[in-house]
Amino acid sequence: MAEAERIIGTPDIPEAAGDGPEQSGPDSEETAAAEQDGQRPGSEPDGAAEAGAEAEAGSAGKGKRKIAVLFAVAVVAYALDLISKMIVVAKLEHHEPIELVGEWLRLSAIRNAGAAFGFGEAFTIIFTCIAAAVIVVIARLARKLYSLPWAIALGLLLGGALGNLTDRLFRSPGVFEGAVVDFIAPKGFAVFNLADSAIVCGGILIVLLSFRGLDPDGTVHKD
């Protein structure tokens, strides 16, 4: 009996799991390569993460540049309006009009308690509040501004609104009721100032941009 068992032999017992050699395959090779590169298997490559961060930083940089353009245009428009009104009050008010192009275009200083081009003189306080509201809306909109044409348009609106609002706050007869200084007098048209011109030009540009489907954030839609 013992001799028969010796001849037949005892079947081999499989080795315990983990005691044998590790099996190699595509997954194990990828894992080893990823560990050598210092990355976890399945993780996003560092290059893609860096590219996303650079794109986000570039977008933020463009937004800041557009905001800078907006305020630069507003400062220029406001400064030109303020300086021109100071010169008109000092040199032209209570004097004869100056003819630039005969009777077609003159400089004539007047005080306007109404809106642009002399409309609505009975609603001075309302127009003052509207101008202040426009400034607040533009300041809030600037945070999402990524379009250069929109930056220029909003800058013109902001500079013009600030120019006329300054008159309404600091000129006689009192705060919120001050009369705006107008001096550009075309023949057959209302007398206006540089702030009015900036507001109108900014409004026209906004209308054109809207027709083209360009939004302040730089996106273009075709509605």
Side-chain angles (χ1 to χ4, degrees):
M1 186 68 180
E3 185 66 22
E5 290 178 355
R6 185 182 65 80
I7 295 173
I8 296 173
T10 304
D12 294 336
I13 301 175
E15 295 181 356
D19 292 340
E22 295 182 0
Q23 296 183 358
S24 61
D27 294 340
S28 60
E29 292 177 358
E30 291 179 0
T31 303
E35 290 177 352
Q36 290 179 359
D37 294 338
Q39 297 177 359
R40 292 183 177 180
S43 63
E44 184 180 3
D46 292 340
E50 292 177 359
E54 290 178 358
E56 185 176 353
S59 178
K62 290 181 179 180
K64 291 180 179 179
R65 287 194 293 270
K66 301 303 184 294
I67 293 174
V69 171
L70 186 155
F71 286 108
V73 172
V75 168
V76 172
Y78 177 71
L80 291 176
D81 178 70
L82 186 62
I83 293 172
S84 64
K85 288 174 178 176
M86 293 173 62
I87 296 174
V88 166
V89 171
K91 302 295 184 180
L92 189 58
E93 198 169 32
H94 309 302
H95 291 77
E96 291 295 323
I98 298 176
E99 294 185 352
L100 295 180
V101 188
E103 296 181 355
W104 294 98
L105 181 61
R106 301 187 301 173
L107 298 180
S108 178
I110 66 169
R111 297 294 183 107
N112 172 25
F117 308 111
F119 299 113
E121 295 186 0
F123 304 98
T124 305
I125 296 179
I126 295 177
F127 292 131
T128 304
C129 295
I130 292 175
V134 168
I135 294 171
V136 172
V137 170
I138 293 174
R140 291 176 62 86
L141 188 60
R143 295 181 299 177
K144 300 180 180 179
L145 186 62
Y146 293 94
S147 169
L148 180 60
W150 270 96
I152 296 173
L154 294 177
L156 291 172
L157 284 180
L158 181 59
L162 285 172
N164 284 339
L165 183 61
T166 300
D167 284 357
R168 298 190 188 282
L169 293 177
F170 299 106
R171 296 193 186 276
S172 60
V175 179
F176 293 105
E177 298 181 351
V180 176
V181 176
D182 289 336
F183 57 91
I184 304 174
K187 184 178 180 181
F189 195 72
V191 184
F192 59 96
N193 56 40
L194 295 183
D196 298 332
S197 301
I199 292 172
V200 171
C201 291
I204 293 174
L205 182 54
I206 288 176
V207 172
L208 294 177
L209 294 174
S210 299
F211 273 116
R212 290 185 57 189
L214 180 62
D215 292 336
D217 61 0
T219 59
V220 179
H221 58 84
K222 297 180 180 179
D223 293 340

